[in-house]
């Protein structure tokens, strides 16, 4: 049962995803539905012990850390996918946690926007080759290529809230978009939100960004 599917996802993990997706994940909420009684989360002791709480809301240190690892792993996989597309040659900054003992990468470094605290998951400096190092400051052209910034957020949520998460992220990063434009950068629209449902669903808008 532990044999990986396609070398990436174990059968055990796939079974858990399927059970969560179809409401058959063993938890207090499932026991309450079937047997008439359930309980609070066994890990944190708060909230209903449901798939939504376990996968998205539990504040226990170990579970919360697993959620962060899930986010970072998904973001790194997304970054690897970019290398197969038309954006592969441009400079990409990714905030996906520390890798190989090195500090996590700053997606809004000083040369891009001094004293900026916000840090989206990914910034693509489209038009600026990654082989050219980093710009000294705002640029609008590199050779024959126009340079623009594309801000990307990767988020995990329930399938029901995929659209709402996109709107909230756009609102959150609107001041950053304005700040970058004031610095002299060309910013492509608003932040592009790739929202994934924790039970395997992907929003239609996310498909647009993925393309």
């Amino acid at each position: 049962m532990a044999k990986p599917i396609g070398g990436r996802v174990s059968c055990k993990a796939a079974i858990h995803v399927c059970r969560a997706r179809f409401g058959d994940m063993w938890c207090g909420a499932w026991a309450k539905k079937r047997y008439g009684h359930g309980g609070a989360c066994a890990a944190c002791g708060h909230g209903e012990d449901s798939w939504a709480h376990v996968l998205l809301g539990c504040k226990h240190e170990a579970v919360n850390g697993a959620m962060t690892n899930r986010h970072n792993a998904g973001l790194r996989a997304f970054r690897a996918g970019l290398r197969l597309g038309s954006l592969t040659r441009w400079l990409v900054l990714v905030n996906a946690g520390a890798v190989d003992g090195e500090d996590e990468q700053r997606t809004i470094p000083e040369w891009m926007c001094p004293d900026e605290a916000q840090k989206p998951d990914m910034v693509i400096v489209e038009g600026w080759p990654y082989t050219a190092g980093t710009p000294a400051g705002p640029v609008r052209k590199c050779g024959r290529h126009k340079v623009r910034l594309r801000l990307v957020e990767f988020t995990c949520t329930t399938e029901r809230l995929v659209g709402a998460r996109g709107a909230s992220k756009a609102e959150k990063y609107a001041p950053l978009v304005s700040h970058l434009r004031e610095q002299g950068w060309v910013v492509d629209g608003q932040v592009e939100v790739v929202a994934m449902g924790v039970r395997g669903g992907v929003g239609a808008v996310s498909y647009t960004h993925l393309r």
Side-chain angles (χ1 to χ4, degrees), residues 102-115:
E102 298 182 3
D103 293 336
E104 64 181 32
Q105 190 174 38
R106 291 187 61 186
T107 50
I108 306 292
E110 288 294 307
W111 55 262
M112 184 179 291
C113 192
D115 302 321

Side-chain angles (χ1 to χ4, degrees), residues 157-181:
T157 184
T158 68
E159 280 73 6
R160 182 173 57 86
L161 296 178
V162 163
R165 289 289 286 174
S168 66
K169 290 288 187 179
E171 181 179 356
K172 174 183 177 180
Y173 287 104
L176 173 59
V177 171
S178 298
H179 197 183
L180 289 168
R181 287 172 177 159

Side-chain angles (χ1 to χ4, degrees), residues 6 19-20 36 41 52 65 68 71 73 92 111 116 120 124 128 140 144 173 177 180-181 188 201:
R19 283 180 171 170
C41 175
T68 300
H71 170 272
V92 178
W111 55 262
E116 177 55 59
I124 304 170
W128 184 272
R140 290 177 175 261
R144 61 186 178 85
Y173 287 104
V177 171
L180 289 168
R181 287 172 177 159
D188 186 35

Side-chain angles (χ1 to χ4, degrees), residues 19-131:
R19 283 180 171 170
R21 187 168 181 81
F22 296 106
D24 194 38
M25 180 178 175
W26 176 258
C27 56
W30 184 90
K32 185 175 182 180
K33 181 179 179 181
R34 173 157 293 196
Y35 303 115
H37 59 84
C41 175
C44 69
H46 302 285
E48 183 184 36
D49 183 22
S50 64
W51 67 262
H53 176 80
V54 172
L55 298 178
L56 287 168
C58 183
K59 300 304 181 184
H60 187 275
E61 182 179 354
V63 180
N64 199 256
M67 293 179 196
T68 300
N69 291 337
R70 176 186 64 195
H71 170 272
N72 291 343
L75 183 57
R76 285 193 286 269
F78 180 50
R79 172 65 183 97
L82 285 181
R83 295 191 177 97
L84 305 177
S86 60
L87 299 174
T88 184
R89 53 181 164 163
W90 308 132
L91 177 64
V92 178
L93 306 175
V94 184
N95 177 25
V99 179
D100 296 330
E102 298 182 3
D103 293 336
E104 64 181 32
Q105 190 174 38
R106 291 187 61 186
T107 50
I108 306 292
E110 288 294 307
W111 55 262
M112 184 179 291
C113 192
D115 302 321
E116 177 55 59
Q118 286 191 305
K119 49 179 184 179
D121 288 331
M122 181 183 296
V123 174
I124 304 170
V125 189
E126 187 173 351
W128 184 272
Y130 71 88
T131 54

